[in-house]
């Protein structure tokens, strides 16, 4: 059986998911919707351009992939929830916690499957750390460190509508930290600054941020974010436990080492998420397809997205007040 999907949003991440569906053995791209950029993608993959209403009303379409701007996510989830389609949605569902809660209440009272696009869970290197930590390879977990630095700040027009570094960028790390800690986070202490571009502060945002998360048992996670890394896309995690540690290091397009009389050199890091997380994007869509095939609720779920957003909100409050925030 081949599952049929509609893609909503033909931007960068939409194009990535369209490519994955086009090469998936048990899924196909059946329709695309984007008010501005649908034509090139539809032509590339030989699928029709259709309206939201047409997609929702078509019983032959099994699911949708929502890759539109954040402020459309909750409304679209509710539309396709009513038409009983499986839904994959890029993070976050919304920037407002009450709006997310209302949307998830509708999902809970339906038969809809909803998966959130926290792709880093599916990165082979990060996933190997998650699986080993969960299996007890380093004993009781004590500390988690997550480093995530972009090569350069995004355009200011994007910063103005993104929801800020904690809700937009660090939300991926909040999700990873929840998985790696293995316990509910109850305390959040955050710091933020505009060290790269002072104009970012005028937009009520930060380009440099750090957060300490803690659980009731005392487990801690340190998250470091920056909008600038001169050496490439910096993505690392470490889990320290009672009997050892697990580390996923930075990845390179070609992982070789050149040694000579002048020293030892290695190729540069990936330049951004589009190349660094290629395999993760493929694996998350496969997980979505398998959840539909096996009639399982997919993970990460809408609830995972809500909890990550709660941590982001707590981080914002902590920076604004200079206080530790209890979740």
């Amino acid at each position: 059986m081949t599952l049929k999907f509609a893609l909503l949003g033909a931007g960068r991440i939409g194009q990535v998911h369209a490519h994955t569906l086009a090469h998936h053995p048990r899924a196909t791209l059946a329709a695309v919707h984007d008010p501005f950029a649908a034509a090139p993608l539809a032509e590339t993959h030989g699928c029709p351009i259709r309206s939201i209403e047409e997609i929702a009303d078509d019983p032959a379409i099994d699911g949708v992939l929502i890759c539109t701007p954040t402020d459309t996510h909750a409304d679209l989830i509710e539309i396709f929830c009513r038409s009983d389609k499986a839904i994959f949605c890029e993070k976050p569902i919304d920037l407002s916690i009450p709006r997310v809660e209302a949307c998830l209440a509708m999902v809970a009272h339906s038969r809809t499957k909803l998966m959130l696009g926290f792709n880093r869970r599916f990165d082979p290197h990060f996933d190997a750390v998650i699986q080993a930590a969960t299996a007890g390879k380093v004993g009781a977990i004590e500390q988690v460190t997550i480093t995530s630095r972009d090569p350069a700040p995004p355009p200011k027009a994007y910063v103005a509508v993104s929801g800020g570094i904690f809700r937009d960028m660090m939300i991926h790390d909040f999700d990873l930290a929840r998985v790696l800690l293995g316990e509910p986070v109850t305390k959040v202490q955050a710091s933020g600054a505009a060290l790269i571009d002072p104009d970012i502060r005028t937009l009520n945002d930060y380009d440099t941020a750090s957060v300490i998360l803690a659980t009731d048992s005392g487990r801690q996670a340190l998250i470091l974010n920056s909008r600038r890394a001169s050496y490439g896309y910096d993505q690392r995690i470490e889990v320290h436990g009672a009997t050892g540690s697990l580390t996923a290091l930075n990845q390179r397009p070609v992982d070789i080492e050149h040694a000579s009389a002048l020293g030892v050199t290695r190729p540069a890091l990936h330049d951004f998420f589009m190349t660094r997380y290629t395999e993760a994007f493929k694996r998350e869509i496969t997980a979505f397809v398998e959840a539909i095939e096996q009639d399982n609720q997919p993970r990460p779920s809408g609830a995972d997205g809500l909890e990550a957003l709660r941590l982001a909100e707590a981080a914002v409050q902590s920076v604004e007040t200079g206080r530790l925030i209890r979740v």
Side-chain angles (χ1 to χ4, degrees), residues 130-243:
I130 292 170
Q131 298 306 319
T134 302
K137 297 294 186 181
V138 294
I141 294 168
E142 297 168 355
Q143 292 180 320
V144 170
T145 304
I146 301 174
T147 301
S148 180
R149 299 186 179 108
D150 288 353
K156 292 184 180 64
Y158 176 83
V159 173
V161 299
S162 69
I165 193 171
F166 296 107
R167 300 184 189 93
D168 170 57
M169 180 178 175
M170 196 180 287
I171 196 166
H172 279 290
D173 305 313
F174 287 134
D175 180 67
L176 264 184
R178 291 182 63 241
V179 174
L180 291 168
L181 286 170
E183 296 178 352
V185 173
T186 56
K187 291 177 283 234
V188 178
Q189 181 80 55
S191 176
L195 302 179
I196 302 165
D197 186 347
D199 288 344
I200 287 180
R201 191 68 198 102
T202 67
L203 297 171
N204 198 33
D205 196 11
Y206 311 94
D207 53 37
T208 307
S210 60
V211 170
I212 298 174
L213 309 176
T215 71
D216 279 342
S217 73
R219 293 183 180 183
Q220 304 160 15
L222 171 63
I223 301 175
L224 301 172
N225 274 191
S226 174
R227 294 287 196 183
R228 177 174 62 193
S230 59
Y231 47 88
Y233 191 41
D234 189 357
Q235 302 285 292
R236 293 170 281 150
I237 63 173
E238 179 191 70
V239 178
H240 176 74
T243 62

Side-chain angles (χ1 to χ4, degrees), residues 12-318:
R12 289 187 304 180
I13 195 61
Q15 294 172 34
V16 170
H17 292 326
H19 180 81
T20 298
L21 288 173
H23 294 84
H24 198 284
R26 304 186 308 281
T28 187
L29 183 60
V32 60
H33 171 84
D34 189 307
F36 309 105
L41 192 146
E43 182 178 353
T44 296
H45 296 287
C47 63
I49 300 172
R50 304 182 70 182
S51 68
I52 296 293
E53 294 75 17
E54 289 172 332
I55 293 170
D57 292 340
D58 188 347
I61 292 179
D62 300 291
V64 297
L65 279 68
I66 300 175
C67 307
T68 53
T70 295
D71 60 0
T72 67
H73 289 180
D75 290 343
L76 289 171
I77 288 172
E78 291 174 351
I79 288 171
F80 292 103
C81 186
R82 295 187 192 100
S83 61
D84 195 29
K85 309 238 183 261
I87 302 166
F88 174 92
C89 182
E90 287 297 335
K91 61 78 190 169
I93 293 173
D94 196 84
L95 298 176
S96 162
I97 287 178
R99 181 68 184 97
V100 174
E101 290 174 332
C103 180
L104 293 183
M106 175 178 284
V107 172
H109 287 88
S110 73
R111 297 180 297 169
T112 303
K113 292 177 172 58
L114 173 62
M115 179 174 174
L116 262 289
F118 287 122
N119 64 287
R120 296 182 191 181
R121 292 195 191 196
F122 297 93
D123 174 72
H125 312 281
F126 290 178
D127 183 45
V129 170
I130 292 170
Q131 298 306 319
T134 302
K137 297 294 186 181
V138 294
I141 294 168
E142 297 168 355
Q143 292 180 320
V144 170
T145 304
I146 301 174
T147 301
S148 180
R149 299 186 179 108
D150 288 353
K156 292 184 180 64
Y158 176 83
V159 173
V161 299
S162 69
I165 193 171
F166 296 107
R167 300 184 189 93
D168 170 57
M169 180 178 175
M170 196 180 287
I171 196 166
H172 279 290
D173 305 313
F174 287 134
D175 180 67
L176 264 184
R178 291 182 63 241
V179 174
L180 291 168
L181 286 170
E183 296 178 352
V185 173
T186 56
K187 291 177 283 234
V188 178
Q189 181 80 55
S191 176
L195 302 179
I196 302 165
D197 186 347
D199 288 344
I200 287 180
R201 191 68 198 102
T202 67
L203 297 171
N204 198 33
D205 196 11
Y206 311 94
D207 53 37
T208 307
S210 60
V211 170
I212 298 174
L213 309 176
T215 71
D216 279 342
S217 73
R219 293 183 180 183
Q220 304 160 15
L222 171 63
I223 301 175
L224 301 172
N225 274 191
S226 174
R227 294 287 196 183
R228 177 174 62 193
S230 59
Y231 47 88
Y233 191 41
D234 189 357
Q235 302 285 292
R236 293 170 281 150
I237 63 173
E238 179 191 70
V239 178
H240 176 74
T243 62
S245 68
L246 295 159
T247 304
L249 300 173
N250 274 317
Q251 300 299 306
R252 296 165 168 78
V254 178
D255 199 4
I256 63 173
E257 184 176 274
H258 174 214
S260 72
L262 298 177
V264 179
T265 61
R266 301 175 70 185
L269 303 180
H270 285 280
D271 58 359
F272 210 23
F273 73 92
M274 296 288 284
T275 57
R276 168 63 181 83
Y277 288 116
T278 300
E279 188 61 27
F281 291 132
K282 293 178 183 177
R283 293 178 64 181
E284 73 174 347
I285 296 303
T286 293
F288 182 52
V289 170
E290 290 176 350
I292 298 171
E293 292 173 331
Q294 298 166 14
D295 196 24
N296 294 328
Q297 285 297 331
R299 296 291 300 272
S301 65
D304 291 317
L306 176 58
E307 293 309 311
L309 184 61
R310 289 193 199 280
L311 297 182
E313 289 293 330
V316 172
Q317 292 178 38
S318 179

